[in-house]
Amino acid sequence: MLLALPLLKRVLKPTVAPSLCNVFTSRYSSHFSYFPDTVPESMGETQRLNLFQSINNALDTALATDNTAVVFGEDVGFGGVFRCTIGLQDKYGKDRVFNTPLCEQGIAGFAIGVAVSGATAIAELQFADYIFPAFDQIVNEAAKYRYRSGNLFDCGNLTFRAPCGAVGHGALYHSQSPEAYFAHTPGLKVVVPRGPIKAKGLLLSCIRDQNPCIFLEPKVLYRSAVEMVPTKDYTLPLSSADILVEGEDITMVAWGTQVHVLREVAELARQQLNVACEVIDLVSILPWDKETVFNSVKKTGRILIAHEAPITNGFGAEIAAVVQSECFLHLEAPVQRVCGFDTPFPHIFEPFYLPDKWRCLSAVKKLLNY
């Protein structure tokens, strides 16, 4: 395909070739630019880590500080598909870091049992796409355990980790974003980090939280996201959104990889439209930080929500509904959502499916021109 691009540009009409060829070219490149975070000097010593290394560091910290903590899942013994658990079995032994059968329902059921017994369970599901066989255990057992027992028992020390989102070549079985399924379930917490610094602090918070947590890791960031991460043990709040770019004209909300897409859109809007966009990383899908979003919308009067999951019943729909209810008199334009389409995640058509910067910038113009 790459060799055919020059020929494609010559054969197609001039009005068609540039845009079409740009889409084809994007098929072979990342659909976002990464915006690294920094930490204040008060956080102490730092080390250069990518996302999977920061997750490994968080798991190492959890195992070192909690003698009851165990890490288990498919292939975690040798490090897992993405190497997030590499070296941990050698350091902590096979009784604390161990492989399980290739059975997600069994992994989840075992994890609930470990947590109910008083230990700290950290279960890895190899891809978020394969979390669905475990769905019943997670939403019908883990999420309801405390409620059904009248607070006599709980499985709060329970974290499910799973790689999620587009990766460039994952297609329909390895690129899904299932956060909305679990956001419908009271009793769970759902978290998606945007980079290594956030990942370490949020994962440690999930592991130590007294509620079952689902920690979704954008797999495309595992190696592309690199930051100077504090070496010390630290946690970050699970229900507090981050305002990454302040602005007066449009509120833009996302999580995970899509945060970086919107940061690039904010820069394009500033350069091309002289518009100041406020970019918010929601951080936690459940619970989500309504106050930060409301305050921003009341200031800007416009909101764009973007996520990779399909648009129908995606979590952006919940945000849109609540914003409309609580901020109606402040809105200057209808809420805009830029999301994946209502199809299985495609392979060769991934560039058309993803809510890239151009689709988001088009929504910005629509908000302005309403």
Side-chain angles (χ1 to χ4, degrees), residues 204-249:
L204 284 170
S205 292
C206 284
I207 292 170
R208 294 164 181 170
D209 196 90
Q210 293 304 301
N211 298 279
C213 295
I214 298 176
F215 190 77
L216 298 173
E217 302 161 7
K219 67 179 77 68
V220 74
L221 298 181
Y222 273 140
R223 286 166 174 75
S224 61
V226 180
E227 294 170 349
M228 297 303 295
V229 181
T231 58
K232 70 176 186 178
D233 183 344
Y234 67 95
T235 58
L236 295 172
L238 297 180
S239 57
S240 179
D242 294 334
I243 299 176
L244 303 178
V245 180
E246 294 189 354
E248 303 292 330
D249 300 315

Side-chain angles (χ1 to χ4, degrees), residues 49-336:
L49 300 176
N50 60 27
L51 185 69
F52 92 80
Q53 290 170 329
S54 75
I55 289 168
N56 180 273
N57 187 251
L59 294 173
D60 189 0
T61 301
L63 289 164
T65 56
D66 180 355
N67 290 332
T68 74
V70 289
V71 174
F72 51 91
E74 301 168 2
D75 302 325
V76 300
F78 71 84
V81 172
F82 298 102
R83 300 299 183 264
C84 291
T85 57
I86 192 167
L88 297 181
Q89 188 177 84
D90 292 338
K91 186 172 183 179
Y92 295 100
K94 293 183 178 180
D95 58 338
R96 298 190 65 197
V97 181
F98 51 88
N99 294 336
T100 64
L102 304 184
C103 175
E104 287 80 9
Q105 184 178 21
I107 293 171
F110 178 75
I112 293 168
V114 169
V116 168
S117 69
T120 298
I122 309 167
E124 177 179 309
L125 299 167
Q126 203 164 83
F127 285 89
D129 310 65
Y130 298 113
I131 202 170
F132 301 117
F135 194 77
D136 176 64
Q137 290 287 342
I138 295 172
V139 305
N140 263 340
E141 304 302 334
K144 298 176 174 66
Y145 211 95
R146 180 184 287 116
Y147 182 85
R148 66 188 278 221
S149 70
N151 203 32
L152 292 176
F153 308 103
D154 72 84
C155 56
N157 295 324
L158 170 58
T159 301
F160 294 103
R161 293 180 40 249
C164 71
V167 70
H169 49 77
L172 65 168
Y173 287 125
H174 296 86
S175 292
Q176 297 175 82
S177 298
E179 65 271 10
Y181 291 102
F182 299 101
H184 190 67
T185 307
L188 298 176
K189 292 189 176 182
V190 184
V191 181
V192 188
R194 67 175 180 267
I197 293 171
K198 295 293 289 187
K200 179 179 177 178
L202 291 171
L203 180 54
L204 284 170
S205 292
C206 284
I207 292 170
R208 294 164 181 170
D209 196 90
Q210 293 304 301
N211 298 279
C213 295
I214 298 176
F215 190 77
L216 298 173
E217 302 161 7
K219 67 179 77 68
V220 74
L221 298 181
Y222 273 140
R223 286 166 174 75
S224 61
V226 180
E227 294 170 349
M228 297 303 295
V229 181
T231 58
K232 70 176 186 178
D233 183 344
Y234 67 95
T235 58
L236 295 172
L238 297 180
S239 57
S240 179
D242 294 334
I243 299 176
L244 303 178
V245 180
E246 294 189 354
E248 303 292 330
D249 300 315
I250 296 176
T251 298
M252 300 198 297
V253 179
W255 47 89
T257 308
Q258 197 64 26
V259 169
H260 304 288
V261 176
L262 291 190
R263 291 196 66 172
E264 191 170 3
V265 172
E267 183 62 21
L268 289 171
R270 184 187 65 80
Q271 294 174 355
Q272 298 182 14
L273 308 172
N274 194 30
V275 168
C277 296
E278 184 149 286
V279 180
I280 297 176
D281 175 10
L282 204 60
V283 179
S284 297
I285 306 302
L286 189 70
W288 64 284
D289 185 353
K290 297 180 178 70
E291 183 177 359
T292 295
V293 175
F294 292 166
N295 289 340
S296 179
V297 173
K298 289 176 181 178
K299 176 177 63 174
T300 65
R302 297 173 174 86
I303 180 171
L304 183 157
I305 308 155
H307 57 69
E308 292 183 11
I311 187 168
T312 298
N313 290 329
F315 194 70
E318 172 65 16
I319 300 173
V322 179
V323 166
Q324 186 276 148
S325 175
E326 299 296 325
C327 306
F328 181 74
L329 295 179
H330 298 270
L331 290 174
E332 301 292 340
V335 176
Q336 290 294 305

